Amino acid sequence: MGKNQTPLFSTVLIILSLSLQASADSQICRNAVCGQDEPLIRFPFRIRTLQPNPCGYPGFDLSCDPTNQTTVIELPNTGNFTIRGIDYAEQEVWLNDPDGCLPKKILSLDFSRTPFSGVYDQNFTFFNCSSDYIKYSLNPIACLCGDNFTVFATSSPRVYNSLSLSPSCRYVKSVAVPVQWPFFEQVLSSDLGDDLRLKWDTPRCGRCEFRGGRCGLKANSTDEIECTDIPRQGIPRAARYAITVGMGIPALLCLISLVCFVCSKVKSSYARRWGSFPANLPTISQQASMPEPLPNPRLVMGLNGAVIESYPKIVLGESRRLPKPNDSTCPICLLDYQAKETLRTIPECNHCFHAACIDEWLHLNASCPVCRNRPMPAP
Ligand SMILES: *[C@@H]1O[C@H](CO)[C@@H](O)[C@H](O)[C@H]1NC(C)=O
Ligand SMILES: *[C@@H]1O[C@H](CO)[C@@H](O)[C@H](O)[C@H]1NC(C)=O
Ligand SMILES: *[C@@H]1O[C@H](CO)[C@@H](O)[C@H](O)[C@H]1NC(C)=O
Ligand SMILES: *[C@@H]1O[C@H](CO)[C@@H](O)[C@H](O)[C@H]1NC(C)=O
Ligand SMILES: *[C@@H]1O[C@H](CO)[C@@H](O)[C@H](O)[C@H]1NC(C)=O
Ligand SMILES: *[C@@H]1O[C@H](CO)[C@@H](O)[C@H](O)[C@H]1NC(C)=O
């Protein structure tokens, strides 16, 4: 070794030592999972049978359902929910019903004795109607219906009025439902099968997670937290993962080719839709009579990781429904969305994409690939 060390070899050494150091620091509380494709569990959550007591925060205890290989949280008053996804940096969690009838759970929803609350609460009113009451555009909640009755849930005042005046329908209950999206248009009726989206305020580990650190309880404390293991090199967690998993250079090569691939896909998708790929620069700047030469379109800057992370993320529910103007295909990779996939939306125009696809794009381009809206940089 020594003199004939290639740059490649020393890069690998640095990366190895980084990952070794990271795993040495996290010996005490290891991450855990309940099964394949299940969310990674770490502080403030804890799987009771796999992680010791000080590895979690009160109210965040989980268990594994061994038959279905799902991650389960038991909430006081409301019962068991499966954990569908966790965003540690945003301090958000997505829940659904293990028995496949979420609306039944929604009817008795009560988060008052839990650390959780809705990100977007929307008021839905349930009606119990006789089964001959059929109305165009209302979707009955199949799992609550019986031979002689049909149950609807609506958040539209118009439908509310019409149902409450109907002699065939009985008002059941109004509930604030923690929906995944803030619906700007009122929902006529919904089967309420999509994951519930909740956030927690304490413990505040989001900032620590975002910086790639490890959040945990202070020694001998039951509620004070500390942030350790923040990467000294300033390499963000996502980049460190990519580098360590793929052993450095191959990963970087893959990343570069992936970006090229994504670009060409987007180009061809544009070509298919509109015949040509719009120029990166708005025409106005070309008309402006500036004395200096036009900036090179290849140098258009993307957004930084913090801004991209600030855009809302969702985990797609089983029904794979998205708010308008989105359809079921990611405009970047042209693949259909699957349940449980993580999507990101651009707030200014509400266009959705696979989080992985749009993150790559936004690193290079500060505009929505569909409508070319330029998202405002977060303050
Ligand atoms: C496993 O899932 C199925 C449907 O997804 C459900 O009917 C069954 O009750 C679940 N089993 C347990 C033990 O939760
Ligand atoms: C929740 O699930 C656990 C097993 O994972 C079970 O012991 C408990 O009784 C369930 N609670 C409710 C309210 O169904
Ligand atoms: C929900 O909507 C119903 C009907 O519009 C209304 O009576 C009820 O007060 C609302 N509840 C809340 C919490 O806003
Ligand atoms: C609807 O009404 C029927 C009886 O007409 C009852 O058995 C059922 O539990 C009710 N469902 C709900 C969700 O209130
Ligand atoms: C449903 O309605 C039919 C006739 O309207 C009646 O004969 C039957 O007993 C009802 N079933 C229940 C469970 O109420
Ligand atoms: C934690 O408690 C142990 C014994 O219970 C004690 O030896 C140690 O000094 C305590 N550490 C702190 C930081 O208070």
Side-chain angles (χ1 to χ4, degrees):
M1 287 217 299
K3 273 178 194 162
N4 43 10
Q5 250 186 22
T6 63
L8 172 74
F9 187 59
S10 51
T11 315
V12 169
L13 268 188
I14 293 170
I15 291 159
L16 266 182
S17 60
L18 264 179
S19 58
L20 283 181
Q21 170 211 329
S23 58
D25 288 351
S26 50
Q27 282 291 309
I28 319 107
C29 283
R30 287 174 186 279
N31 297 339
V33 286
C34 278
Q36 212 184 351
D37 300 334
E38 282 299 292
L40 194 66
I41 302 305
R42 60 171 178 266
F43 190 85
F45 291 95
R46 160 180 97 97
I47 300 176
R48 232 177 264 122
T49 49
L50 299 177
Q51 291 157 312
N53 205 1
C55 292
Y57 199 82
F60 289 83
D61 280 5
L62 309 177
S63 55
C64 293
D65 178 335
T67 47
N68 285 3
Q69 296 215 326
T70 51
T71 318
V72 177
I73 185 164
E74 185 170 2
L75 297 181
N77 305 348
T78 318
N80 286 338
F81 288 87
T82 43
I83 303 256
R84 300 295 304 267
I86 301 172
D87 187 329
Y88 289 95
E90 297 290 335
Q91 302 190 175
E92 289 181 9
V93 58
W94 286 263
L95 304 181
N96 214 310
D97 179 32
D99 304 320
C101 190
L102 189 58
K104 196 173 168 187
K105 285 261 164 65
I106 288 176
L107 275 171
S108 61
L109 223 46
D110 176 7
F111 295 118
S112 58
R113 285 171 53 214
T114 76
F116 306 107
S117 60
V119 178
Y120 305 112
D121 281 329
Q122 185 161 8
N123 183 4
F124 277 88
T125 306
F126 286 75
F127 285 93
N128 197 342
C129 303
S130 64
S131 55
D132 52 7
Y133 185 87
I134 294 168
K135 232 179 160 181
Y136 173 70
S137 81
L138 293 191
N139 306 314
I141 298 175
C143 67
L144 289 181
C145 294
D147 285 346
N148 283 4
F149 56 94
T150 311
V151 176
F152 300 102
T154 180
S155 72
S156 149
R158 194 166 56 78
V159 177
Y160 172 89
N161 285 337
S162 122
L163 291 186
S164 53
L165 291 176
S166 162
S168 321
C169 293
R170 202 163 43 80
Y171 168 92
V172 179
K173 198 175 183 182
S174 283
V175 186
V177 180
V179 292
Q180 290 203 28
W181 296 89
F183 291 97
F184 295 115
E185 61 221 283
Q186 302 282 7
V187 185
L188 289 188
S189 83
S190 164
D191 61 6
L192 293 176
D194 274 342
D195 298 345
L196 305 180
R197 179 179 182 180
L198 300 170
K199 64 179 163 61
W200 67 90
D201 290 329
T202 6
R204 285 184 185 278
C205 286
R207 204 177 141 68
C208 174
E209 286 281 342
F210 187 70
R211 294 163 71 200
R214 195 171 177 92
C215 197
L217 286 176
K218 276 188 181 162
N220 295 3
S221 169
T222 54
D223 57 356
E224 267 186 291
I225 57 165
E226 62 181 0
C227 185
T228 54
D229 205 12
I230 295 173
R232 258 156 270 166
Q233 320 293 321
I235 305 176
R237 179 194 286 274
R240 207 175 54 181
Y241 261 119
I243 291 169
T244 46
V245 168
M247 289 312 283
I249 307 301
L252 283 178
L253 288 178
C254 284
L255 198 67
I256 290 165
S257 52
L258 177 72
V259 168
C260 295
F261 174 72
V262 166
C263 289
S264 66
K265 276 284 194 183
V266 170
K267 258 187 190 174
S268 68
S269 119
Y270 265 105
R272 209 173 311 154
R273 284 181 197 197
W274 290 302
S276 72
F277 193 60
N280 267 342
L281 290 170
T283 44
I284 293 163
S285 69
Q286 282 163 7
Q287 289 161 351
S289 51
M290 304 286 279
E292 70 259 35
L294 284 172
N296 183 344
R298 287 176 200 286
L299 294 180
V300 169
M301 298 292 286
L303 302 174
N304 68 32
V307 176
I308 296 174
E309 271 306 321
S310 72
Y311 294 161
K313 257 200 303 201
I314 61 147
V315 174
L316 208 54
E318 287 298 341
S319 72
R320 293 185 275 156
R321 230 193 351 246
L322 286 172
K324 279 175 188 154
N326 299 285
D327 61 16
S328 59
T329 311
C330 172
I332 296 182
C333 65
L334 304 180
L335 294 177
D336 280 352
Y337 298 124
Q338 304 297 327
K340 279 191 171 187
E341 276 183 331
T342 306
L343 312 188
R344 197 187 288 288
T345 172
I346 294 183
E348 274 70 20
C349 56
N350 280 332
H351 284 124
C352 295
F353 310 88
H354 285 122
C357 296
I358 191 63
D359 290 5
E360 293 296 346
W361 169 268
L362 289 176
H363 275 298
L364 301 170
N365 273 285
S367 62
C368 172
V370 171
C371 61
R372 314 302 288 177
N373 249 343
R374 283 187 175 267
M376 302 300 291

